Amino acid sequence: GDSVTQMEGPVTLSEEAFLTINCTYTATGYPSLFWYVQYPGEGLQLLLKATKADDKGSNKGFEATYRKETTSFHLEKGSVQVSDSAVYFCALIGPSFQKLVFGTGTRLLVSP
Amino acid sequence: KAGVTQTPRYLIKTRGQQVTLSCSPISGHRSVSWYQQTPGQGLQFLFEYFSETQRNKGNFPGRFSGRQFSNSRSEMNVSTLELGDSALYLCASSSSPGAYTNYGYTFGSGTRLTVV
């Protein structure tokens, strides 16, 4: 079945550092890919998405590019802030619109 | 535009009891999905409703059930609660099952269920 693999956390960075959170997937056909963010005590917020190969999703300084050849959708940000501290989930949904399949989440901790 | 509203935010129940959680989707959204989030299992799909019909179901026992009303509001019910049912239950809405390609799914803040 479809699956998503994320790098283990926590990822600990200093403010203004460069962020990469790796995400790879296994899916039948061509899924749509998402990054969601969860702040403490809250639900999931859609951060960005890409629906076809080579698409680049971007939002609030975060970017991710849909790489079909490497089945990856790595999340990047050039300069993180303390307010970016949260748990980040990579997810996919297949072309038959069945369900969102999530990775295990990566906790990001940014210190001043 | 109001977001996805889940009630209640917190619940404490005793083993063996049953519980009903409510989700009001964004106005105009007709697709509602439910997910369970636990530290051990992560985020797992429970079921999806579209236009009052269950469209898809995850691998959960029959104690977990749901329904959707004509106004698109959805409820999920868990009967005979077990300690392992303690989790954050998240509801997500979309205008239609295929609309995620344009808008994604919008999640509510969740209901934190604790079973003691």
Side-chain angles (χ1 to χ4, degrees):
Chain A
D2 296 350
S3 65
V4 175
T5 302
Q6 284 181 244
M7 61 190 291
E8 292 275 338
V11 172
T12 305
L13 296 173
S14 297
E15 205 165 27
E16 298 184 4
F18 184 85
L19 168 72
T20 299
I21 300 178
N22 291 335
C23 170
T24 56
Y25 67 89
T26 302
T28 304
Y30 300 99
S32 291
L33 303 173
F34 305 84
W35 277 100
Y36 281 88
V37 58
Q38 186 174 37
Y39 297 100
E42 297 186 15
L44 300 175
Q45 296 179 25
L46 178 65
L47 184 58
L48 53 84
K49 63 179 175 69
T51 58
K52 60 182 186 297
D54 300 324
D55 266 1
K56 177 185 281 189
S58 61
N59 186 26
K60 299 180 182 178
F62 291 90
E63 293 183 339
T65 301
Y66 189 142
R67 301 285 188 199
K68 185 166 73 72
E69 62 277 11
T70 55
T71 61
S72 65
F73 192 55
H74 305 320
L75 182 68
E76 296 181 335
K77 186 176 186 183
S79 176
V80 294
Q81 305 299 312
V82 172
S83 57
D84 293 327
S85 297
V87 180
Y88 292 81
F89 292 91
C90 185
L92 68 79
I93 190 165
S96 59
F97 323 138
Q98 293 297 310
K99 60 182 179 181
L100 277 165
V101 176
F102 288 90
T104 52
T106 302
R107 182 175 300 278
L108 170 65
L109 300 170
V110 182
S111 56
Chain B
K1 202 176 195 180
V4 178
T5 303
Q6 291 190 247
T7 56
R9 285 297 306 273
Y10 302 94
L11 266 178
I12 300 176
K13 290 287 188 179
T14 304
R15 267 183 306 175
Q17 287 186 312
Q18 75 163 12
V19 67
T20 299
L21 312 181
S22 179
C23 171
S24 293
I26 289 173
S27 178
H29 282 193
R30 293 161 60 199
S31 173
V32 174
S33 302
W34 289 87
Y35 290 82
Q36 181 197 64
Q37 185 177 24
T38 60
Q41 299 298 315
L43 282 151
Q44 293 191 293
F45 172 77
L46 280 154
F47 26 66
E48 179 189 12
Y49 287 87
F50 177 67
S51 294
E52 302 179 64
T53 301
Q54 188 180 85
R55 189 174 165 273
N56 196 14
K57 189 177 190 305
N59 295 323
F60 278 81
R63 301 185 296 108
F64 291 81
S65 62
R67 59 178 175 169
Q68 187 179 34
F69 302 94
S70 58
N71 63 357
S72 295
R73 189 178 70 86
S74 177
E75 290 181 346
M76 68 163 280
N77 182 276
V78 188
S79 62
T80 320
L81 283 166
E82 300 177 0
L83 294 179
D85 297 333
S86 295
L88 179 66
Y89 289 88
L90 292 164
C91 166
S93 80
S94 178
S95 57
S96 65
Y100 69 85
T101 54
N102 292 323
Y103 309 111
Y105 284 93
T106 303
F107 280 81
S109 297
T111 294
R112 172 81 56 190
L113 172 65
T114 302
V115 182
V116 297

